[in-house]
């Protein structure tokens, strides 16, 4: 079963705006990862945040993790049309970390 | 580096036929996984391997077999294809359970 749940399911914004996506999960985790998938392609890793970290940055990406609320957010600043993709969170469960548990994804459309 | 290579990219099978989806990685990763991706379902784990000679079932293993005779290769076998196995299949590899996963470009399989 899918542990992660992203919201919103779909998001449409204009170029230059910020996009925020959220991921909630149910059990304690070792880490949480965000991936991007362009249409018809494989997934590409964006950021990994460990359970003892609260925030990480990578270029225009900012990820936060709130383990008390069992949630994470991915912020893309100054979005570009090339950011149009689906974004997935995946968690590595504490105590049983052989598998990644995937959310259903947020579909982001950035309009020029 | 080729990364994770999947073949074929597209395949059409008749119900009852068998086939093998190939996956190879050249990063010396111990962990390899097979997922299927269906609309609205996200990624579902079929089988995974934590090293050569070791495989285990994921969420949806029925109708699929795997083997891991070498570190590099992790083929997925469909024993008797069914229309319910129409999907996009992704192979992924990583160094360990808490690390970045690298994905192949996917195999789009249609069973008629």
């Amino acid at each position: 079963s899918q542990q992660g749940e992203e919201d919103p399911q779909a998001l449409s914004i204009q170029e230059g705006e910020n996009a925020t996506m959220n991921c909630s999960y149910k059990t304690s985790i070792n880490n949480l990862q965000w991936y991007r998938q362009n249409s018809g392609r494989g997934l590409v890793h964006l950021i990994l945040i460990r359970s003892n970290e609260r925030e990480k940055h990578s270029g225009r990406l900012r990820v936060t993790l709130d383990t008390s609320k069992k949630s994470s957010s991915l912020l893309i600043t100054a979005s570009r049309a090339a950011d149009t993709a689906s974004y997935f969170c995946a968690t590595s469960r504490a105590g049983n970390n052989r598998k990644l548990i995937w959310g259903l994804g947020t579909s982001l459309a950035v309009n020029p | 580096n080729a990364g994770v290579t999947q073949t074929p990219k597209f395949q059409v099978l008749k119900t009852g036929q068998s086939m093998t989806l190939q996956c190879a990685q050249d990063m010396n990763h111990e962990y390899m996984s097979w997922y299927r991706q269906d609309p609205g379902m996200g990624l579902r784990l079929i089988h995974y391997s934590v090293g050569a000679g070791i495989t285990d079932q994921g969420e949806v293993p029925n109708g699929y077999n795997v083997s891991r005779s070498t570190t590099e290769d992790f083929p997925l076998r469909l024993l008797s294809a069914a229309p319910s196995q129409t999907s996009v299949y992704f192979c992924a590899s990583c160094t360990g359970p808490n690390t970045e996963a690298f994905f192949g470009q996917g195999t789009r399989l249609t069973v008629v």
Side-chain angles (χ1 to χ4, degrees), chain A residues 40-43, chain B residues 4-6 9 88-91 103-107:
Chain A
R41 308 295 296 273
L43 282 76
Chain B
V4 179
T5 303
Q6 287 184 238
K9 290 185 178 174
V88 181
Y89 291 83
F90 289 100
C91 178
F103 281 79
Q105 291 302 299
T107 295

Side-chain angles (χ1 to χ4, degrees), chain A residues 1-2 30-31 33 35 37 40-43 45 48 50 88 92 97-100 102 104, chain B residues 31 35 37 40-45 48 50 57 59 90 97-101 103-105:
Chain A
S1 62
Q2 298 288 343
N30 289 318
N31 64 62
Q33 303 181 47
Y35 289 78
Q37 184 181 33
R41 308 295 296 273
L43 282 76
H45 182 264
L48 182 152
R50 302 190 191 285
F88 294 88
S92 171
N97 60 3
R98 286 188 161 194
K99 300 176 275 190
L100 288 177
W102 294 85
L104 299 180
Chain B
Y31 280 63
Y35 295 91
Q37 185 177 36
M41 302 289 289
L43 284 171
R44 291 186 292 171
L45 182 64
Y48 67 102
V50 300
Q57 296 181 348
E59 301 171 67
F90 289 100
N98 296 313
T99 62
E100 169 188 357
F103 281 79
Q105 291 302 299

Side-chain angles (χ1 to χ4, degrees), chain A residues 59-104:
Chain A
R60 294 183 296 112
L61 306 181
R62 172 177 169 253
V63 168
T64 60
L65 179 65
D66 186 336
T67 52
S68 66
K69 295 182 179 177
K70 292 187 170 57
S71 69
S72 173
S73 67
L74 170 66
L75 168 67
I76 305 174
T77 60
S79 63
R80 305 166 182 168
D83 294 327
T84 294
S86 292
Y87 292 81
F88 294 88
C89 69
T91 54
S92 171
R93 198 181 301 179
N96 181 9
N97 60 3
R98 286 188 161 194
K99 300 176 275 190
L100 288 177
I101 309 298
W102 294 85
L104 299 180

Side-chain angles (χ1 to χ4, degrees), chain B residues 39-110:
Chain B
M41 302 289 289
L43 284 171
R44 291 186 292 171
L45 182 64
I46 304 172
H47 286 285
Y48 67 102
S49 169
V50 300
I54 307 169
T55 63
D56 207 346
Q57 296 181 348
E59 301 171 67
V60 288
N62 292 340
Y64 307 95
N65 273 357
V66 292
S67 60
R68 185 93 181 272
S69 55
T70 67
T71 299
E72 293 78 19
D73 300 300
F74 191 42
L76 178 72
R77 297 183 189 83
L78 278 70
L79 308 172
S80 177
S84 61
Q85 293 178 305
T86 293
S87 187
V88 181
Y89 291 83
F90 289 100
C91 178
S93 74
C94 58
T95 56
N98 296 313
T99 62
E100 169 188 357
F102 293 81
F103 281 79
Q105 291 302 299
T107 295
R108 187 173 295 273
L109 175 69
T110 302

